[in-house]
Amino acid sequence: MSGDFDKERGGGGRGGRSGDKDKKDEKGGGRRTFFRRRRVCKFCVEKIDYIGYKDVKLLAPFIPERGKIQPRRISGVCATHQRALQTAIKRARALALIPYTTD
Amino acid sequence: MSQVRQYELIYIVPPDTTEEVLADVHQQIAVVAERFGATIEKTENWGRRRLAYEISRHREGVYVLELINGPGAMTAELDRRLRVLDAVMRHLIVRVDEELGVAERSLTRRKAAMGARRVRRGLPPEPTEAERHRRDTEREDDMDGGMESGFRGREDR
């Protein structure tokens, strides 16, 4: 994981991510450029405290078709919850509730 | 010194397992638990479920969940026993008291904070029915938006 990336984002606040490759528009303070999406942590917003491994419905949105765990740079989950999510997904995999891989 | 902790034990048996075998497995767990002075708080049979992948050529399995209050030394013994049992395809023991405790504490903390905020604004500490309804509908709208954009994000990667 790149620590630099996280630092960069922390300064930018909660506004949309200004793409790394895209040229930055100085007028908008670098925030307005290529507004993609408001990325907020689902677990913070919905105040889900316990991410259980038994709850497949809760975990499913974070597992794309391939079966990999979605990185938080895509899903917008905060670090704390991504960690909890990670263990939950790995436990669910061990119990064959979620596939390790799909091809 | 052994502390009582809460563990969740889940095991999967083949779908063609008879009731007797299932009861026997449960009995064996109960015996081990008893030896360590543990109590089984609840047993939950999820029934037949589709497995996400094949385990020893089975596509389905019967899931059983046991909530056990007992010392940590018990888990090692349970683990060893379950690994030997042929009837059990797979099992997992997870300590849950800590995580659930954290979740509960943050819930109460949040409730207290919300109550304090509301009192400062001159409102009753608990939201009224009407307010709750309004907030729920608002959140639904919000979630729709979030989901849509999440999907888009996946594509333009």
Side-chain angles (χ1 to χ4, degrees):
Chain A
M1 273 297 179
S2 80
D4 293 348
F5 181 74
D6 285 300
K7 262 176 238 155
E8 212 175 276
R9 243 193 67 237
R14 53 165 61 137
R17 173 161 71 115
S18 45
D20 304 315
K21 286 164 280 172
D22 311 319
K23 278 164 225 139
K24 277 197 180 149
D25 182 10
E26 291 305 319
K27 262 187 229 163
R31 288 184 97 201
R32 217 164 53 85
T33 36
F34 272 90
F35 181 79
R36 284 231 174 105
R37 57 200 158 249
R38 206 175 85 243
R39 297 174 335 120
V40 285
C41 174
K42 183 193 160 163
F43 302 103
C44 289
V45 170
E46 292 179 31
K47 300 191 173 66
I48 299 167
D49 292 310
Y50 178 59
I51 305 175
Y53 59 97
K54 291 173 286 178
D55 194 349
V56 179
K57 273 204 196 107
L58 179 71
L59 306 178
F62 301 96
I63 305 149
E65 310 88 89
R66 198 63 214 255
K68 291 182 169 189
I69 300 174
Q70 194 165 44
R72 66 189 203 86
R73 90 181 108 86
I74 308 290
S75 61
V77 174
C78 73
T80 316
H81 285 125
Q82 179 76 6
R83 246 178 287 129
L85 183 67
Q86 176 191 331
T87 53
I89 289 174
K90 285 177 178 177
R91 282 171 183 174
R93 276 177 181 169
L95 285 168
L97 298 170
I98 289 171
Y100 279 101
T101 53
T102 43
D103 41 27
Chain B
M1 199 183 82
S2 67
Q3 266 180 310
V4 172
R5 296 185 168 139
Q6 192 165 55
Y7 294 95
E8 253 176 15
L9 161 64
I10 293 195
Y11 55 90
I12 313 172
V13 296
D16 49 10
T17 312
T18 55
E19 286 292 319
E20 294 95 73
V21 176
L22 209 58
D24 180 54
V25 172
H26 179 76
Q27 187 57 37
Q28 288 204 38
I29 291 163
V31 166
V32 174
E34 204 177 321
R35 209 169 62 230
F36 285 91
T39 51
I40 296 178
E41 198 173 299
K42 82 175 177 193
T43 307
E44 219 175 87
N45 195 326
W46 293 0
R48 192 186 268 244
R49 270 183 75 114
R50 224 192 131 65
L51 301 174
Y53 50 87
E54 274 184 32
I55 303 177
S56 56
R57 269 180 242 115
H58 287 292
R59 307 217 115 261
E60 283 181 332
V62 176
Y63 285 72
V64 184
L65 171 90
E66 314 245 16
L67 202 61
I68 306 171
N69 295 317
M74 175 193 67
T75 56
E77 177 63 12
L78 275 178
D79 197 49
R80 200 184 64 76
R81 286 292 187 99
L82 288 165
R83 232 176 304 153
V84 172
L85 278 180
D86 288 332
V88 177
M89 296 199 288
R90 189 144 308 182
H91 69 272
L92 180 77
I93 303 171
V94 177
R95 184 175 164 195
V96 287
D97 51 0
E98 226 161 33
E99 284 173 324
L100 289 177
V102 167
E104 202 177 307
R105 274 197 296 282
S106 65
L107 183 70
T108 49
R109 200 183 322 123
R110 191 154 45 227
K111 266 210 179 127
M114 187 184 76
R117 258 200 319 274
R118 287 178 63 85
V119 168
R120 239 177 287 138
R121 277 160 58 201
L123 295 160
E126 286 293 316
T128 57
E129 264 320 302
E131 279 177 273
R132 203 170 287 155
H133 177 73
R134 200 177 55 217
R135 200 190 49 208
D136 284 350
T137 44
E138 269 169 26
R139 190 178 290 172
E140 264 162 43
D141 299 344
D142 214 37
M143 252 157 52
D144 287 347
M147 235 121 87
E148 224 175 316
S149 51
F151 210 74
R152 212 186 301 131
R154 218 173 283 172
E155 272 170 358
D156 67 23
R157 185 149 48 125

